[in-house]
Amino acid sequence: MKKITRCDCHLHTNNSFDSETPAERLAERARELGIEYIAITDHCDILEWSDANIARSNAQAAELNERYDDLTVLRGIELGEPLQSPDQTAIALGLCEYDFILCSLHNIANEEDFYYLHPDREKAQELIGRYFDELLEMVRWNEFDSLAHFTYPLRYITDRDGVQVDMERYQPVIREILATLAANGKALEINTSGLRSPTGFLLPTVEYIRLFRELGGQFITLGSDAHIPENMAVGMAEGIAAAKEAGFRAATVFINRRPVEIPFE
Ligand SMILES: [Zn+2]
Ligand SMILES: [Zn+2]
């Protein structure tokens, strides 16, 4: 059987507020699919995180990694909104040893997660502008390995709510974000969760993956963002096709915070 993917580096367990999946079920599913590397990246949204959950997630990943010869389980974290509380971020980063820090932005300062917002077009343009400005600060901060689900607001604004926005006006800040990420030797995540909706698309779409490559980007990570085992690796064929189209020949996994390239088959 041809494998869908050799790695999936964005997965949630019941140590995240929005998943009921035991870590062991993810490992078993990965072995069924012939996946060689998974990263468990439980939520650490910095304004409301649980040190007990993150410590447990980390220990479980380490324990599962010891258990199997045919699967590497990486100790990851999805660090959300780190600059909204630098003190808490320092505590979270010091709590455990991590293989992989995936950095994300679900809500801009003083707003709710985009999941809860239903802006009209004008308001959406303003919110997306603030999203990219905050993302640029985060990328300049640079204490992470891969940038998660770039263009996240579009998952809700465009895909779910059908509000079309003009992305052209953000081109300068988008270039700046991707160029900074590339210059810092960090990875861009190709997140396939958007494909699970009927009208969905990759986060980000291939045009931004290509732009990242053109700006000198070396590394991409692949993430299904699965919260249930059945969603593991879903959409990866499309994600890998987009990566190849943009000029990448490998996905990257992070082990002890160092990039290891996993060539596409
Ligand atoms: Zn996320
Ligand atoms: Zn996630």
Side-chain angles (χ1 to χ4, degrees):
M1 189 186 83
K2 192 174 183 304
K3 287 177 194 173
I4 308 168
T5 180
R6 299 180 63 192
C7 50
D8 187 340
C9 289
H10 190 155
L11 299 165
H12 293 276
T13 76
N14 54 13
N15 294 306
S16 289
F17 69 91
D18 54 359
S19 169
E20 293 175 359
T21 303
E24 190 171 14
R25 291 275 322 279
L26 289 182
E28 285 166 4
R29 180 67 180 150
R31 294 176 73 225
E32 280 170 24
L33 294 171
I35 294 175
E36 297 159 61
Y37 300 87
I38 59 170
I40 292 179
T41 54
D42 281 308
H43 284 295
C44 183
D45 291 339
I46 210 61
L47 295 179
E48 43 186 335
W49 67 292
S50 151
D51 55 356
N53 283 22
I54 293 303
R56 200 180 308 119
S57 172
N58 195 276
Q60 288 172 353
E63 194 272 316
L64 289 167
N65 188 48
E66 287 296 313
R67 196 184 302 182
Y68 306 109
D69 290 335
D70 55 351
L71 177 68
T72 299
V73 181
L74 300 164
R75 301 161 299 173
I77 189 177
E78 182 178 0
L79 180 63
E81 302 80 49
L83 298 187
Q84 293 181 22
S85 178
D87 293 350
Q88 288 298 312
T89 295
I91 294 168
L93 289 179
L95 184 67
C96 305
E97 285 185 11
Y98 302 101
D99 287 298
F100 179 48
I101 312 279
L102 179 64
C103 204
S104 65
L105 186 61
H106 304 105
N107 63 281
I108 48 183
N110 307 313
E111 300 281 353
E112 285 186 283
D113 190 317
F114 279 95
Y115 175 82
Y116 298 105
L117 304 181
H118 299 275
D120 61 17
R121 187 171 196 271
E122 190 183 347
K123 183 68 180 172
Q125 298 277 184
E126 179 214 318
L127 292 171
I128 295 169
R130 285 163 58 197
Y131 166 79
F132 284 127
D133 289 345
E134 233 180 274
L135 213 54
L136 178 57
E137 278 180 55
M138 217 168 80
V139 166
R140 286 178 173 154
W141 170 68
N142 198 31
E143 301 293 318
F144 63 93
D145 302 311
S146 184
L147 180 64
H149 46 58
F150 184 64
T151 68
Y152 174 81
L154 301 182
R155 181 195 278 179
Y156 303 111
I157 291 170
T158 307
D159 185 20
R160 183 190 62 191
D161 296 345
V163 175
Q164 299 302 319
V165 291
D166 165 28
M167 290 295 286
E168 207 42 47
R169 68 175 71 176
Y170 309 118
Q171 216 49 31
V173 65
I174 286 173
R175 278 188 84 87
E176 187 66 27
I177 291 166
L178 296 178
T180 304
L181 200 61
N184 289 341
K186 303 299 182 188
L188 178 69
E189 179 189 58
I190 300 178
N191 184 300
T192 64
S193 66
L195 296 172
R196 295 199 284 271
S197 83
T199 59
F201 40 80
L202 289 170
L203 297 169
T205 53
V206 67
E207 61 181 303
Y208 299 115
I209 305 169
R210 194 183 297 118
L211 179 59
F212 177 59
R213 180 76 181 173
E214 285 165 11
L215 292 168
Q218 287 184 70
F219 306 121
I220 54 107
T221 62
L222 296 172
S224 65
D225 211 345
H227 290 63
I228 54 173
E230 293 73 19
N231 281 340
M232 185 182 291
V234 170
M236 283 295 177
E238 290 91 331
I240 291 169
K244 287 179 175 171
E245 200 183 321
F248 290 93
R249 295 287 163 261
T252 295
V253 301
F254 284 81
I255 302 177
N256 286 321
R257 310 284 317 274
R258 292 178 193 282
V260 176
E261 291 197 278
I262 311 295
F264 296 133
E265 292 184 318

